[in-house]
Amino acid sequence: HFFDLHLAHIDHGWRAESGREALFLQKKAQALGLPLHLLTLVELPAGNLEAWSREQRYAFLLTLQKKYGFAAVLLAHQADDLIETALQRVLEGAHLPFLAGMEEVSYRQDLLLWRPLLPVRKKELAAFLAQQKIKALQDRSNKNIHFLRARVREKILPALARHFGKQVDRNLWHLAEKAVVLKKYLDSKIALVWEQRQAGPLGIYWPLKLLLTLEELELQYLFKKMAHVYDVDLT
């Protein structure tokens, strides 16, 4: 017994069966002898439901981490999630180092995130569960093309595969991998400047002489990283 493992589940309340699934997970957690922390979202906004729900999830996980002192939060994102994110970010015009959108180890504000399943394809996970005779819960909202991520998964990626060949998902995976490598390289290039950021009455700033030591791509990345870390929207 080297560590304590807790489970966390967020019932978004989008589907009628989500409450029953939460009860099912509570019983599973009890059978495993593991604590389960459950959050039920009751007042859903009229705007971007996906983005709002994502923020609620991370806020809940951050609260748990602070309360119990967890070393990290483990998320179940897998390779298909990475592929979908890369395509979505390419089409949205994201800055090159941020095309992957997720890494195996990363931070979201003060929240340390581990994604151990990120190199594994969804079909591999499904085959493993079938071999272990474990039935996975199916979230039907994952196929609801009202949501952008579902449209990417159900419509856009299959269409690209038909027109460009079945390797399109693998190419997007490699693009995401290269984006992570580029991000790590740029982090190393701006490290000294990043650590010397200062806070003033107007926000975060750097002395101009420091900024002039950076190349154009490094400078762009510095500002994009600042916006990402401090949750600032730069058009």
Side-chain angles (χ1 to χ4, degrees), residues 12 14 30 40 45 47 49 52 69 71 98 135 151-153 192-193 201:
H12 294 79
W14 295 5
Q30 289 174 356
T40 301
L49 192 58
W52 179 84
F98 296 100
K135 184 178 180 181
R151 288 200 299 276
V152 170
R153 180 183 302 120
L192 291 177
V193 175

Side-chain angles (χ1 to χ4, degrees), residues 192-199 204-207 210 229-230:
L192 291 177
V193 175
W194 176 256
E195 291 304 322
Q196 295 183 65
R197 65 192 184 280
Q198 300 177 39
I204 305 300
Y205 72 93
W206 287 268
L210 281 178
V229 170
Y230 293 101

Side-chain angles (χ1 to χ4, degrees), residues 54-231:
R54 187 182 308 113
E55 292 303 319
Q56 297 302 309
R57 289 197 297 272
Y58 282 116
F60 178 55
L61 294 173
L62 182 59
T63 299
L64 293 177
Q65 186 186 41
K66 288 181 176 179
K67 181 176 180 179
Y68 294 98
F70 296 135
V73 172
L74 281 74
L75 301 176
H77 292 121
Q78 32 79 17
D80 292 65
D81 294 318
L82 186 62
I83 290 166
E84 293 161 9
T85 300
L87 176 59
Q88 188 172 329
R89 294 206 165 194
V90 166
L91 298 178
E92 290 173 343
H95 197 51
L96 285 174
F98 296 100
L99 289 183
M102 58 185 77
E103 302 173 56
E104 289 186 59
V105 179
S106 64
Y107 277 92
R108 185 182 177 93
Q109 297 178 0
D110 295 329
L111 195 64
L112 176 58
L113 304 174
W114 293 349
R115 296 181 175 92
L117 299 178
L118 203 55
V120 185
R121 294 299 301 264
K122 185 177 181 179
K123 60 184 179 183
E124 296 177 275
L125 294 173
F128 172 79
L129 292 176
Q131 184 182 47
Q132 301 297 317
K133 295 182 172 55
I134 298 173
K135 184 178 180 181
L137 293 175
Q138 299 296 329
D139 184 346
R140 57 187 174 88
S141 64
N142 286 333
K143 295 182 176 294
N144 184 352
I145 59 174
H146 171 75
F147 300 109
L148 177 59
R149 177 54 70 100
R151 288 200 299 276
V152 170
R153 180 183 302 120
E154 299 296 319
K155 296 289 186 180
I156 300 175
L157 267 172
L160 289 174
R162 288 195 301 271
H163 290 286
F164 289 95
K166 294 181 179 180
Q167 299 302 313
V168 67
D169 56 348
R170 183 176 298 175
N171 292 338
L172 286 166
W173 165 258
H174 288 313
L175 180 62
E177 281 189 319
K178 292 173 184 175
V180 170
V181 172
L182 177 59
K183 184 175 181 294
K184 291 178 179 178
Y185 170 76
L186 289 171
D187 274 327
S188 70
K189 297 292 286 185
I190 71 164
L192 291 177
V193 175
W194 176 256
E195 291 304 322
Q196 295 183 65
R197 65 192 184 280
Q198 300 177 39
L202 298 180
I204 305 300
Y205 72 93
W206 287 268
L208 183 59
K209 63 180 181 181
L210 281 178
L211 299 182
L212 292 176
T213 65
L214 299 178
E215 298 292 338
E216 182 179 351
L217 181 60
E218 297 165 358
L219 195 58
Q220 289 178 2
Y221 178 70
L222 177 73
F223 290 131
K224 290 289 186 180
K225 178 174 180 175
M226 183 273 293
H228 179 74
V229 170
Y230 293 101
D231 196 23

